[in-house]
Amino acid sequence: MPDPGRHDAHDAEDDDEARFLATYDPTSYEQTAVTVDIVVLSVGDDGPAVLLVERGGHPFRGSWALPGGFLDPGDATLDAAARRELLEETGVDIGAEAWSAHFAQLGAYGDVGRDPRQRTVSVVFAGVVAGAPTPTAGSDAARAEVIPVRDLALDPASAGHVRLAFDHARIVRDAYERLGPELQHG
């Protein structure tokens, strides 16, 4: 049984931690932004397709990109941020149940220079939906459309004519490679 009069070493560690946190300055490190991007794949009459938005603002204004954006302080989870961004930019609402069952984190992308504004790490969610969604542009998206994968310039050898902003061609290529079997059985 612990002795209530004895000062525990764990209490001292807690005090040290509290003092450290009270004086910690996060601005002493280079700041990195966190974003979420969402790859929504579907199969339509034109074969496999991906939901994209035309950027309404800089950088890459007028270019096609994945729906996504910066993490907000009010986002409780990365999943919530992804659902919010998808809804804001495309009007597509993937409910929490369908989201968790069919969408998952594809990976994190954080190469230097992937975003010209600042160092940015994006957590990407990807999944396959039955039937092509009917998007409506909103927020900072000028347009939202489902575009056949064959039309995308996903690598230098690609015949596609639609070039994507940021490193989104790489992200779509990675998602398509991972989820391709689901598209064929979908």
Side-chain angles (χ1 to χ4, degrees):
M1 177 167 207
D3 179 359
R6 191 176 119 194
H7 181 70
D8 191 278
H10 190 62
D11 291 340
E13 288 176 18
D14 288 348
D15 290 344
D16 287 346
E17 178 106 357
R19 277 193 295 281
F20 166 78
L21 291 174
T23 61
Y24 177 75
D25 179 12
T27 63
S28 63
Y29 296 96
E30 181 181 330
Q31 299 300 298
T32 300
V34 178
T35 62
V36 292
D37 288 307
I38 306 94
V39 182
V40 177
L41 294 166
S42 62
V43 178
D45 294 337
D46 293 327
V50 64
L51 176 61
L52 298 173
V53 296
E54 181 184 342
R55 291 185 53 80
H58 293 293
F60 300 107
R61 182 169 58 189
S63 295
W64 290 98
L66 294 167
F70 291 97
L71 206 61
D72 282 349
D75 292 326
T77 63
L78 293 169
D79 294 285
R83 284 192 303 274
R84 175 185 54 77
E85 281 291 337
L86 185 62
L87 183 61
E88 285 176 3
E89 291 191 353
T90 69
V92 174
D93 184 8
I94 297 177
E97 187 175 318
W99 180 264
S100 60
H102 302 289
F103 279 77
Q105 284 187 25
L106 175 68
Y109 295 77
D111 291 355
V112 173
R114 67 176 298 275
D115 187 328
R117 295 170 288 195
Q118 71 185 96
R119 180 74 189 264
T120 304
V121 174
S122 185
V123 179
V124 178
F125 290 83
V128 175
V129 295
T134 306
T136 304
S139 182
D140 55 356
R143 290 191 295 167
E145 293 184 20
V146 176
I147 297 179
V149 170
R150 70 167 188 262
D151 292 347
L152 304 179
L154 297 181
D155 58 50
S158 174
H161 61 278
V162 177
R163 300 209 177 282
L164 300 179
F166 304 102
D167 57 353
H168 291 184
R170 174 184 170 202
I171 295 170
V172 170
R173 190 174 58 244
D174 289 352
Y176 188 69
E177 286 174 6
R178 181 157 323 146
L179 300 173
E182 286 186 47
L183 288 168
Q184 294 176 5
H185 299 99

